Amino acid sequence: MTFPARRGAYSLLSLLQVALCAVHFQSPSDLPSVDYDFIVAGGGLAGSVVASRLGENQDFKILVIEAGPSNEEIFESQVPGLSLTVSAPGTRVDWNYTIVPQTHVNGFVGPYLRAMMLGGCSSHNEMMYTRCSRDDYDRWAAMTGDINLSWDKLYPYFIKAEMWSGPNIPSLSEAGHFDPSFHGSNGKVNVSAPYHVHPLNDLMVEAVKELSQSSDEFPALLDHNGGRPIGMGWDQDTIGGGFRSSSATAYMAHTGDNVHVLLNTRVTRILPSTNHPSNSIDIRTVEFATSPKGPTSRRTATKELIVAGGVVNSPQILLNSGIGPKDELKALGIKSLIDNPSVGKNFSDQPSILIGISTNLPTDDFNTTTALSEWIDSHTGRYAGPPHLASLGWVRFPGTSSPFKDGTPDPTAGPNSPHIELFFRNVTSIPDLNTSPGNATLLMNIVNLNPVARGSITLATSSPFDAPVIDPNLLGVPVDTAIFLEGVRSIQRLFSAQTFKSSVFELAMPKADADGTLADEVIVDYVEHNAGPNIHGVATCSMAPHGADWGVVDPEFKVRETTGLRIVDGSVMPFVPSGHTQAPTYALAEWASEVIKSSWK
Ligand SMILES: Cc1cc2nc3c(=O)[nH]c(=O)nc-3n(C[C@H](O)[C@H](O)[C@H](O)COP(=O)(O)OP(=O)(O)OC[C@H]3O[C@@H](n4cnc5c(N)ncnc54)[C@H](O)[C@@H]3O)c2cc1C
Ligand SMILES: *[C@@H]1O[C@H](CO)[C@@H](O)[C@H](O)[C@H]1NC(C)=O
Ligand SMILES: *[C@@H]1O[C@H](CO)[C@@H](O)[C@H](O)[C@H]1NC(C)=O
Ligand SMILES: *[C@@H]1O[C@H](CO)[C@@H](O)[C@H](O)[C@H]1NC(C)=O
Ligand SMILES: *[C@@H]1O[C@H](CO)[C@@H](O)[C@H](O)[C@H]1NC(C)=O
Ligand SMILES: *[C@@H]1O[C@H](CO)[C@@H](O)[C@H](O)[C@H]1NC(C)=O
Ligand SMILES: *[C@@H]1O[C@H](CO)[C@@H](O)[C@H](O)[C@H]1NC(C)=O
Ligand SMILES: *[C@@H]1O[C@H](CO)[C@@H](O)[C@H](O)[C@H]1NC(C)=O
């Protein structure tokens, strides 16, 4: 052994810490009378990262308050193939939110899924791992005037969070589905490129080769996580060894016993402690309860309070506490503490539509009973991977394409950003999908990655236990619909490849005419009746430059006009990045942890 003695002692201590892990309390009355340095309101994706990183300093005592149970109680949260089961609406671990009737989607009303358990939505989401485009971060840095938020500066935090972990099914090599040079292998969250065997996998590779000879719309893309996600490639997911990896399993489960987690308890309000001389209000106290009528308790952090309730609940907590648009709060009888018109506004979520295409490819149905016993026995089989197909595409439209012909500005953050995502779900024989007789349906989503319309989160009542009013304002501006029209045309171009001639046929949803033609009006009508939220909402507590007269947090995540209070979660992102939001939220939370730690050195 050549290790110096101190290093050896340190290693032993680390082992001990791993063995200890965060201490869980099931109800407020169990909580010890400890003075906590930091209190984190919401033990979701970001909250778990921040609590765990702060907890690396053994001198800090941290309290996390989470509305839901521990992820460890929810079996389905472990099994990748059950992600659509654990995230179904109306489960024990869902907030049961519904969006208001969508004016531009024929009055559509539907669920707005949010997990209520430790790890938040990282414990129930569909696990796709997409860092989005470098432009997304560079725009964010330019907009806030803080270079630290740029792709190049945040890149080390993606790596810090990531633990490359493939393959999940030993017999299925994941080589050729990703570029190892873009990935971290000393981090926390397991990431891999799992797939199941289906003919679409090889056909797509062939088609891309064929189409690339005559067009640059569908280039082959080995790995979408290098900052320029444009092209056709492969899915990656937060899965390792056949298990879902979440901020609860990857971070929270490995903290020391200086991190306490109070479960099944809602933060109802945050409260001022003292007034500071400088016009700012010091807010480090949380009020919490387990039911609307139940008693409330309070705790004050000696250092900082960090709100991490996610895109719906972080603004709700602020609004309930009197931080928000003064007039709106007054109308509900809530006393104004800080008049900030930005709280809950600028809500941005990507609209998505489900597309069906007639195909004679085999369905990828499987025996779920067998799959479950295989997973329980060996953590392999269909349930060791995600519930969707492995092909994944990202298309950028040229500036001359139809959505921008009339001079409409390009909504993307820059030339490395796709306009749409092509997300291939499955091949199914569910009847009534308009499919041509004798054929199955290839189901896929087109996602408009850079919506221009903005919605809002407002309060319905002054009770913290009542659901807020959630309005994503889907398709609220015409270009958001125009992008879908071009998206459907793009899919038609993709499947017009000779490679697909004998296997993938005409569109079934929206339905093409018998001769295969599909009018613009039919597509637009379909979009305006079928768009739904992609549940990647952001921006309801948007970050803005220091000293701006709008926005909720500054580039150090501090809430305007306060001391002692930050928000760290997806709600602070000013624009939704051009992909799925969990990888960006991990990097953001890792960075925020650095910022907070560095201010208490
Ligand atoms: C069904 C679904 C599928 C998704 N699929 C993907 C995917 O495949 N890939 C991807 O990249 N992204 C996906 N996402 C998005 C991604 O999971 C989120 O962007 C991410 O989890 C946001 O993290 P967050 O920390 O902002 O919020 P959350 O993870 O939502 O965490 C918020 C936490 O705060 C708790 N909380 C809220 N209010 C209170 C309160 N008052 N008191 C106490 N606790 C409170 C909540 O219970 C929750 O645990 C999906 C989201 C959903 C809903
Ligand atoms: C959502 O609905 C389910 C089923 O009724 C219930 O068990 C759960 O507690 C509800 N969630 C909330 C936050 O009320
Ligand atoms: C952000 O970047 C600047 C310039 O590199 C640096 O001086 C500053 O300390 C960084 N901010 C934080 C909070 O680390
Ligand atoms: C998953 O990540 C953890 C680190 O958080 C690591 O210890 C473990 O080995 C990884 N699992 C696999 C299968 O690689
Ligand atoms: C919404 O965001 C824009 C910047 O994208 C900002 O100019 C505007 O003030 C914000 N609106 C509110 C109400 O905060
Ligand atoms: C295929 O996808 C659809 C839409 O998401 C879903 O309803 C269906 O259950 C899926 N089928 C299988 C076998 O996973
Ligand atoms: C699934 O497999 C089980 C066990 O082999 C069998 O009993 C069952 O009939 C199968 N189900 C279907 C729908 O084929
Ligand atoms: C499937 O659809 C194609 C195109 O519409 C059609 O030519 C073919 O006959 C159908 N297959 C069967 C088995 O009916």
Side-chain angles (χ1 to χ4, degrees), residues 90-92 94-96 116 266:
T91 67
R92 184 188 150 201
D94 181 28
W95 282 85
N96 304 335
M116 195 179 71
R266 265 193 223 191

Side-chain angles (χ1 to χ4, degrees), residues 25-257:
F25 301 95
Q26 299 295 331
S27 108
S29 54
D30 300 341
L31 206 60
S33 54
V34 168
D35 277 338
Y36 293 104
D37 297 275
F38 297 95
I39 297 177
V40 180
L45 191 160
S48 295
V49 173
V50 170
S52 146
R53 288 298 186 192
L54 291 173
E56 287 173 353
N57 182 338
Q58 286 296 306
D59 296 335
F60 291 157
K61 294 204 166 35
I62 294 134
L63 172 64
V64 177
I65 303 178
E66 165 56 42
S70 165
N71 59 301
E72 285 157 13
E73 286 178 39
I74 311 297
F75 168 76
E76 293 86 350
S77 76
Q78 299 178 36
V79 189
L82 291 177
S83 78
L84 299 179
T85 308
V86 66
S87 66
T91 67
R92 184 188 150 201
V93 289
D94 181 28
W95 282 85
N96 304 335
Y97 288 143
T98 303
I99 58 175
V100 298
Q102 293 298 288
T103 315
H104 305 282
V105 195
N106 193 37
F108 167 73
V109 168
Y112 198 81
L113 301 171
R114 290 280 104 191
M116 195 179 71
M117 70 178 127
L118 205 55
C121 299
S122 74
S123 292
H124 84 156
N125 68 22
E126 211 166 330
M127 302 164 294
M128 297 179 72
Y129 181 81
T130 70
R131 296 178 188 160
C132 309
S133 99
R134 60 184 307 130
D135 308 328
D136 294 320
Y137 304 90
D138 293 348
R139 168 166 67 178
W140 186 358
M143 201 268 247
T144 57
D146 188 337
I147 187 75
N148 302 302
L149 297 160
S150 65
W151 168 262
D152 286 342
K153 296 282 185 186
L154 277 183
Y155 192 81
Y157 297 93
F158 283 107
I159 300 297
K160 188 177 185 191
E162 184 185 33
M163 174 76 193
W164 189 269
S165 305
N168 288 284
I169 297 173
S171 60
L172 291 180
S173 166
E174 294 173 4
H177 284 221
F178 68 102
D179 181 343
S181 72
F182 295 147
H183 294 279
S185 48
N186 286 308
K188 294 278 188 179
V189 183
N190 301 112
V191 182
S192 54
Y195 63 99
H196 60 272
V197 175
H198 189 276
L200 187 73
N201 299 355
D202 290 343
L203 285 171
M204 193 63 76
V205 173
E206 273 310 301
V208 163
K209 267 189 210 150
E210 177 201 325
L211 292 169
S212 295
Q213 287 165 13
S214 54
S215 140
D216 56 10
E217 187 168 11
F218 306 105
L221 180 66
L222 175 58
D223 194 315
H224 55 258
N225 282 320
R228 188 179 152 80
I230 297 176
M232 305 298 295
W234 303 103
D235 178 39
Q236 297 173 16
D237 298 275
T238 45
I239 301 176
F243 283 83
R244 170 195 293 275
S245 187
S246 66
S247 67
T249 65
Y251 288 83
M252 206 53 123
H254 303 285
T255 63
D257 64 357

